[in-house]
Amino acid sequence: MRIWTWNVNSIKAHFEQVSEWLKVEKPDVVCLQEIKCETPNFPAAAFEEMGYSCAVHGQKTYNGVALLARGKIENVATGLAGDEADEQARFISATVFGNGRPVTVASLYLPNGNPAPGPKYDYKLAWMKRLKAKAQELLATEEAFVLTGDYNVIPALADMKRPEAWVNDALWLAQSRAAFQEIENLGLTEAFRALHPNEVAYSFWDYQAGAWPKNNGIRIDHALLSPQAADRLIAARIHRDARGHEKPSDHVPVEIELVD
DNA sequence: ATGCCGGGCGAAGCCCGA
């Protein structure tokens, strides 16, 4: 089972590229972030024609996450517990099936948090605590699950081209990394780094200042796997070529492959 | 680079992203 995550920076603006890539690569599950549309405006019919079921947690203008999967999608849940006032559409989870073996998959868009310090950073850290609680709840089931998406966290020095540019940034601040590490330390595996301990690879390049031609990138799109999912992990890939397309998203797809 | 690009909204210019 191949599971993709892709922050598409508006599904309306980048639908053509996304659908072309899905037709060629045929991933089994696709987690989308920043769809930037309300649920009724998501192009579900077009994805269904391509063989996918869809579960969407949309929002006007900002955020928005979705799950596509070949076969059925069950137990769809949206949002994270712990803040009744939170109206930002950043989390959707569901059960998907590969050869009959169920996997719980979540598509998440973790808050950026800049400027830090400030209310946006407080929201980011609080959101990470809520995500940790969700991970703890899922771990108690002792089943395979994958929490994947745009984490907006640079885990280590090796995950950025220009560390000096990020010293005071919410994506790199010690508290952000510590919160990410806390979730990993529950017993989750960050798939790409686990399989490629020494590889320098990025998943985001800013649109500005020639970041892409200079390869001035960061790695912030991740997949965290429960032990039962990590046991099935056989590959992790970053599709960096997607960034070179005409009119691309600023993020590229990150893929993991599990034994069916 | 407290935004250089790019998207949304909405029809100019501001908000937001990382």
Side-chain angles (χ1 to χ4, degrees):
Chain A
M1 176 187 280
R2 288 181 298 124
I3 302 173
W4 277 31
T5 182
W6 198 354
N7 179 323
V8 294
N9 185 21
S10 166
I11 193 60
K12 184 182 175 192
H14 298 120
F15 175 77
E16 287 304 321
Q17 189 197 355
V18 171
S19 58
E20 280 174 28
W21 274 71
L22 297 191
K23 282 173 186 167
V24 172
E25 297 280 341
K26 300 179 170 52
D28 300 288
V29 180
V30 185
C31 297
L32 302 176
Q33 301 90 36
E34 281 208 270
I35 61 174
K36 292 186 176 178
C37 67
E38 293 179 296
T39 299
N41 297 330
F42 185 79
F47 288 121
E48 283 161 9
E49 280 180 22
M50 295 161 54
Y52 290 101
S53 305
C54 301
V56 183
H57 183 31
Q59 181 180 345
K60 189 178 173 71
T61 309
Y62 305 119
N63 311 315
V65 288
L67 272 166
L68 315 182
R70 301 195 179 280
K72 58 187 176 180
I73 298 181
E74 293 183 347
N75 307 318
V76 176
T78 60
L80 289 174
D83 181 358
E84 298 308 312
D86 187 1
E87 294 182 345
Q88 300 188 33
R90 296 179 175 275
F91 187 93
I92 186 168
S93 65
T95 308
V96 300
F97 298 80
N99 277 359
R101 295 175 69 185
V103 182
T104 296
V105 178
S107 175
L108 65 95
Y109 176 42
L110 207 146
N112 172 306
N114 281 303
K120 291 190 174 184
Y121 194 56
D122 295 341
Y123 175 67
K124 176 178 193 154
L125 295 177
W127 203 94
M128 294 181 84
K129 280 195 195 307
R130 294 161 64 200
L131 180 62
K132 181 185 176 185
K134 170 59 77 172
Q136 287 174 309
E137 172 192 322
L138 289 169
L139 279 163
T141 68
E142 300 190 353
E143 289 173 359
F145 68 84
V146 177
L147 306 177
T148 190
D150 177 358
Y151 276 77
N152 271 318
V153 173
I154 304 167
L157 276 171
D159 298 314
M160 52 188 163
K161 179 69 172 287
R162 298 183 63 242
E164 69 276 17
W166 300 96
V167 281
N168 294 315
D169 196 282
L171 278 66
W172 173 250
L173 285 175
Q175 286 181 89
S176 307
R177 281 177 282 139
F180 183 71
Q181 199 172 306
E182 262 185 50
I183 298 171
E184 283 189 282
N185 287 345
L186 295 171
L188 303 187
T189 298
E190 196 260 273
F192 185 83
R193 192 50 82 207
L195 292 185
H196 305 282
N198 300 311
E199 190 169 329
V200 173
Y202 308 129
S203 65
F204 168 90
W205 295 259
D206 202 301
Y207 288 120
Q208 301 177 80
W212 167 244
K214 288 190 274 196
N215 195 30
N216 176 17
I218 52 177
R219 194 175 68 91
I220 55 174
D221 298 271
H222 310 300
L224 297 190
L225 277 56
S226 73
Q228 294 77 10
D231 285 344
R232 293 165 60 179
L233 178 66
I234 52 175
R237 309 179 181 96
I238 298 183
H239 293 269
R240 84 189 300 279
D241 290 355
R243 189 63 176 80
H245 273 232
E246 190 177 340
K247 206 167 154 296
S249 169
D250 39 8
H251 296 250
V252 297
V254 176
E255 173 181 339
I256 64 159
E257 184 167 359
L258 305 181
V259 176
D260 282 323

